[in-house]
Amino acid sequence: MESGHVTTPFGRRSMSLGMLASQMTAREIEPGASIDKWKLYRSLCEARPLLGITDRALSVLNALLSFYPHNELAEDNGLIVFPSNAQLSLRAHGMAEQTIRRHLAALIETGLLVRKDSANGKRYAHKGRGGEISEAFGFSLAPLLARAAEIESLAAEVVTDRLHLQRLRERLTVCRRDITKLIETAIDEGVDGDWQAMIAMLKSVLARLPRQPNASQVEDVLDELGLLRQEILNTLEMQIKVTKQSANAHQSERHIQNSNPDSISESEPGFETKLGAKVVENHDRHAEPVGEGRSDWARPHTVAETEPSLVGGIKAGPGLKSFPLGLVLQACPQIIDYGPAGAISSWRDLMKAAVVVRTMLGVSPSAFEEACSILGPENAATVVACILEKGGYVSSAGGYLRDLTRRAERDEFAIGPMLMALVRLNGPVARRAG
């Protein structure tokens, strides 16, 4: 466009400050500036959301660019195109002329085109004797060249934002998958926790996402789910640490047992009936007192005698006697951590701790109730404490407890050998700690 020259629209179309600003911008082209028109058009397509134009308006602009005879937009080549609406309709895949006029007005409004009208409003060009164009009336592409750097910058911003949103959505998908599978693992392994509440929280957070979320909305949801995932991981890590500690202790136990060729089999019949006298004979002078007065394990009484309110009339199974609480705690010191306030001072406390450990180990309520019915509540709690002490060497605590219960029902299992094996491992440590 000529320096200092302002064009006004033909007919009843009014002039606006925006049109004047576009014409002023079109005159700010750097000398010698040029750009590939199709490369610039691709940038326009990327920057469309920030420029506020529709895809149909871009189709009209594409048709206008196809009338520009050169690939490079440059002032030296002229920047005016002057096709008729009928020609534009053909290049715009048959778009109606009324629709074309509406989108042309939108392109002018957004400052991507400048209209240069002739005296009668027609689009044409004056040519010299050599055929070169001396003056043309139509649409000026000068704003595109003047704003090329801005358009490319906006396009890069849109691409960056789109990639950022894509990465956020990928992270959200991974986080949602992690939470779902970790909760499934926790439920399958019987890890204690309010997993149904966590599932409900996951669904609630995801429900807040709209169908087409922006980056900020995805980030907010991702932050919340990240905290939920971390909470689940912390719970599972604590379970793994407890299992590893139990496995390490049981590994030492196996080493001690294997070094003693005279060790007694857990299923040895008849040992149970003699264990009470043997405990008194071997431990009477070393027993640590449990509560007030004489040692709890210094005399061969049953739990029903010392804790009648705990047993509630239920007797131990056939052929099975309960053992002194002090002996059980010496053999299975890990159960103490699960007692009320981290201590066990009575059989009632041991039963409460056994319920907690039963849940943690994934033992079903039915398996524990069957054990209580066959073995007696105190012996069932003792067996659960032994299973906890064995740790990683018991692959399925529930199945192991059911198997021991059935063997006990057939008089093929005795708790004594299991306890004494653990006493040999943990007894000296317990006495030193006392």
Side-chain angles (χ1 to χ4, degrees):
M1 299 180 65
E2 298 177 10
S3 178
H5 181 66
V6 174
T7 62
T8 56
F10 171 79
R12 291 177 294 178
R13 289 191 296 265
S14 60
M15 184 71 174
S16 68
L17 289 177
M19 294 180 183
L20 182 59
S22 297
Q23 294 185 30
M24 293 175 62
T25 300
R27 293 199 297 267
E28 296 174 358
I29 300 174
E30 295 290 335
S34 65
I35 190 170
D36 185 281
K37 64 180 181 181
W38 299 122
K39 178 183 177 182
L40 181 60
Y41 178 74
R42 286 192 294 271
S43 297
L44 281 166
C45 292
E46 293 286 2
R48 181 177 65 83
L50 298 182
L51 291 172
I53 54 176
T54 65
D55 54 348
R56 301 272 286 183
L58 283 176
S59 297
V60 174
L61 183 58
N62 178 280
L64 281 175
L65 288 173
S66 69
F67 285 100
Y68 189 76
H70 307 282
N71 283 331
E72 292 286 325
L73 286 177
E75 281 192 299
D76 293 342
N77 298 329
L79 293 171
I80 305 293
V81 290
F82 42 90
S84 65
N85 286 342
Q87 291 173 320
L88 274 176
S89 177
L90 292 175
R91 298 280 179 99
H93 309 290
M95 187 181 296
E97 292 188 16
Q98 184 177 0
T99 304
I100 287 176
R101 284 194 293 268
R102 186 172 67 252
H103 291 309
L104 286 172
L107 291 170
I108 294 170
E109 184 68 24
T110 54
L112 296 177
L113 290 178
V114 170
R115 189 190 299 272
K116 185 182 179 181
D117 286 342
S118 63
N120 60 5
K122 300 294 185 181
R123 303 171 201 155
Y124 59 88
H126 294 299
K127 296 183 179 180
R129 292 185 178 181
E132 72 281 359
I133 298 177
S134 59
E135 188 175 12
F137 299 95
F139 299 102
S140 173
L141 304 176
L144 294 178
L145 182 57
R147 299 178 60 185
E150 175 195 352
I151 293 169
E152 290 180 338
S153 176
L154 292 175
E157 181 180 344
V158 170
V159 171
T160 301
D161 290 345
R162 184 171 64 244
L163 290 176
H164 178 57
L165 179 59
Q166 181 180 341
R167 298 293 182 268
L168 287 175
R169 294 174 72 98
E170 290 173 356
R171 287 172 54 195
L172 180 60
T173 299
V174 172
C175 187
R176 180 173 57 185
R177 182 187 67 200
D178 290 347
I179 292 173
T180 302
K181 290 189 177 292
L182 287 173
I183 292 177
E184 289 176 355
T185 300
I187 294 175
D188 291 343
E189 297 291 337
V191 179
D192 190 24
D194 194 354
W195 305 116
Q196 294 301 324
M198 292 188 180
I199 293 174
M201 184 184 300
L202 172 63
K203 293 180 178 179
S204 174
V205 172
L206 292 176
R208 296 204 304 266
L209 276 178
R211 291 182 62 86
Q212 297 294 331
N214 56 37
S216 177
Q217 292 169 326
V218 177
E219 284 177 343
D220 291 342
V221 169
L222 192 56
D223 288 341
E224 292 188 50
L225 293 186
L227 294 175
L228 178 60
R229 177 174 58 183
Q230 190 59 48
E231 181 181 350
I232 297 171
L233 283 174
N234 290 341
T235 303
L236 295 180
E237 285 173 1
M238 289 178 60
Q239 174 67 18
I240 292 172
K241 288 178 181 178
V242 171
T243 304
K244 282 185 177 179
Q245 290 173 358
S246 302
N248 291 338
H250 195 72
Q251 187 175 7
S252 301
E253 171 202 327
R254 288 188 63 194
H255 176 72
I256 294 172
Q257 286 180 319
N258 292 340
S259 65
N260 182 5
D262 298 325
S263 61
I264 302 174
S265 170
E266 288 183 5
S267 61
E268 178 182 350
F271 183 85
E272 188 83 12
T273 59
K274 303 175 183 177
L275 182 61
K278 202 164 191 176
V279 167
V280 173
E281 178 184 350
N282 292 340
H283 296 284
D284 187 71
R285 48 180 199 275
H286 299 292
E288 296 291 333
V290 179
E292 295 290 330
R294 191 179 172 195
S295 170
D296 183 68
W297 65 5
R299 55 191 177 89
H301 53 53
T302 66
V303 177
E305 296 173 351
T306 58
E307 295 287 337
S309 62
L310 171 67
V311 179
I314 301 176
K315 297 182 179 180
L320 292 181
K321 294 181 179 179
S322 55
F323 294 87
L325 179 62
L327 176 61
V328 175
L329 297 182
Q330 184 179 353
C332 309
Q334 290 190 48
I335 193 71
I336 298 174
D337 296 333
Y338 299 92
I344 293 178
S345 58
S346 67
W347 279 101
R348 185 181 301 277
D349 292 343
L350 181 65
M351 286 293 294
K352 291 179 180 179
V355 172
V356 174
V357 171
R358 186 271 301 170
T359 304
M360 183 186 73
L361 294 178
V363 177
S364 66
S366 61
F368 186 68
E369 290 171 4
E370 183 182 11
C372 289
S373 176
I374 302 300
L375 305 175
E378 58 277 3
N379 282 331
T382 300
V383 172
V384 170
C386 291
I387 294 175
L388 172 66
E389 205 68 28
K390 288 174 175 291
Y393 288 92
V394 178
S395 58
S396 174
Y400 187 55
L401 180 61
R402 286 188 185 276
D403 181 64
L404 295 182
T405 302
R406 295 189 185 102
R407 288 167 57 190
E409 193 174 23
R410 299 192 301 266
D411 292 329
E412 297 175 356
F413 167 67
I415 301 176
M418 181 190 298
L419 269 180
M420 292 309 297
L422 294 173
V423 165
R424 284 194 295 271
L425 174 63
N426 297 322
V429 176
R431 284 197 292 272
R432 286 198 299 271

